[in-house]
Amino acid sequence: MSRPRVLSGVQPTGALHLGNWLGAIRNWVDLQHSHDTYFCVVDLHAITVPHDASRLAEDTLTTAALYLACGIDPERSTVFVQSQVPAHSELAWLLNCVTPLNWLERMIQFKEKALRQGDQVSVGLLDYPVLMAADILLYDADLVPVGEDQKQHLELARDIAQQRINARFAPRGSDGEPEPILKVPAPLILRDGARVMSLTDGRSKMSKSDPNEGSRITLLDPPELITRKIKRAKTDAALGLEFGNPERPEADNLLGLYALLSGKDRDTAAQECAAMGWGKFKPMLAEATCEALRPVQERYQQWRQDPGALKAVLEQGRLRADAVAQITLERVRRALGFLPVGR
Ligand code: TRP
């Protein structure tokens, strides 16, 4: 029996942080044992906002190396760079032509990002979710691990596949039933307790786009910087850490981080810190964070010191991904009535 297929990706903008690791990539690592896993670095998505051309390639390699350093195993997973598989751009165009404009105009993330950018907004930013739909649909993914903020995009991918491609273009099989062209993917809601919040505001998510670097710990921050960021993290006036007090989002977040990073279960961590002052807790959290990141940083350095090995992983991933993607793209081209190549 074949395993259900999973696809996910992260943009190569800025270093990955604790939120990306604990909330997403750590789950990908587990999925490798039970699912057929595809993980891409979505560099085409990174240019939907103004980007620095001199850094794109380097950032793409950094992100790929971090996937591997976090435990993505190229023998188990297909790891690849989105722009190196041209079918992503091609399918995105085909899907563009069947996607109603107002489906995109109502995307929450588009509205938020567009507001921040004023008249810099590109067509690509509006089109971002269609490209993401292409990423997913090309691989016949059964499941897509997504956080809350991407659920609307996944819903859009489902609607495009079902209503705009399958319902309109599916050919009839020999039994007279329509044969779906695209598989309709389902969201894989990740286990909870891993929504990492900003260090400077326990009510907003840790984010790459927060202009304050002190709000996040990246996977490549050296120990001194980690310690400093945690020292400056927002606290409150109460003594003792606790989970679930709505008045104390920072305590909840930092205690949760401590539990995850030290490998203790939440009850144990809560008991240990129930009467502890911030002055004692913070160095402990800093220590646990540095310890947890040390092996990731070591493996990262090993991959970066061996560019040939990293390129080989990405080339193998590209070939595997391309083979799968071509088959789906061809199915869509045929269903939409294009003249086959070579006729
Ligand atoms: N939009 C996703 C994010 O910002 C990244 C992404 C692009 C993605 N293509 C994808 C995630 C396909 C899952 C599947 O997190």
Side-chain angles (χ1 to χ4, degrees), residues 7-11 28 40 42 45 82 109 113 128 131-133 135-136 144-147 149-150 153-154:
L7 176 131
S8 200
V10 171
Q11 292 187 43
W28 301 359
C40 54
V42 290
H45 279 104
Q82 181 193 35
Q109 197 166 68
K113 287 191 186 174
Y128 178 117
L131 178 60
M132 177 166 161
D135 299 341
I136 297 165
V144 182
V146 283
D149 61 329
Q150 295 297 315
H153 290 163
L154 187 68

Side-chain angles (χ1 to χ4, degrees), residues 166-211:
N166 291 346
R168 293 184 171 186
F169 298 103
R172 305 251 156 209
S174 45
D175 57 0
E177 289 297 309
E179 283 175 4
I181 302 156
L182 293 173
K183 171 160 261 168
V184 180
L188 179 63
I189 303 302
L190 299 170
R191 67 176 121 124
D192 55 11
R195 193 155 186 262
V196 178
M197 311 305 281
S198 156
L199 296 185
T200 48
D201 173 8
R203 293 181 205 275
S204 67
K205 217 176 129 177
M206 186 175 284
S207 156
K208 284 183 192 167
S209 53
D210 189 325

Side-chain angles (χ1 to χ4, degrees), residues 132-278:
M132 177 166 161
D135 299 341
I136 297 165
L137 300 173
L138 274 177
Y139 298 92
D140 293 328
D142 298 284
L143 293 166
V144 182
V146 283
E148 202 55 41
D149 61 329
Q150 295 297 315
K151 263 173 59 194
Q152 197 185 28
H153 290 163
L154 187 68
E155 202 53 47
L156 183 92
R158 289 168 53 87
D159 289 347
I160 293 174
Q162 209 156 27
Q163 300 173 30
R164 296 284 153 161
I165 298 288
N166 291 346
R168 293 184 171 186
F169 298 103
R172 305 251 156 209
S174 45
D175 57 0
E177 289 297 309
E179 283 175 4
I181 302 156
L182 293 173
K183 171 160 261 168
V184 180
L188 179 63
I189 303 302
L190 299 170
R191 67 176 121 124
D192 55 11
R195 193 155 186 262
V196 178
M197 311 305 281
S198 156
L199 296 185
T200 48
D201 173 8
R203 293 181 205 275
S204 67
K205 217 176 129 177
M206 186 175 284
S207 156
K208 284 183 192 167
S209 53
D210 189 325
N212 180 358
E213 292 194 10
S215 70
R216 62 184 162 268
I217 290 173
T218 85
L219 301 189
L220 296 176
D221 282 352
E224 315 76 67
L225 185 57
I226 292 172
T227 306
R228 196 172 342 129
K229 284 177 176 174
I230 290 178
K231 199 170 189 175
R232 293 190 186 154
K234 187 173 175 200
T235 55
D236 55 32
L239 179 77
L241 283 106
E242 60 182 324
F243 283 124
N245 182 340
E247 304 297 308
R248 304 189 62 204
E250 286 78 22
D252 183 272
N253 184 43
L254 296 185
L255 183 57
L257 273 180
Y258 175 65
L260 285 168
L261 293 166
S262 66
K264 295 179 181 170
D265 64 53
R266 284 166 67 91
D267 290 342
T268 310
Q271 268 172 29
E272 182 185 354
C273 307
M276 198 180 277
W278 289 102

Side-chain angles (χ1 to χ4, degrees), residues 116-130:
R116 263 187 259 144
Q117 278 185 67
D119 56 7
Q120 283 278 12
V121 176
S122 69
V123 176
L125 187 67
L126 178 70
D127 203 27
Y128 178 117
V130 177

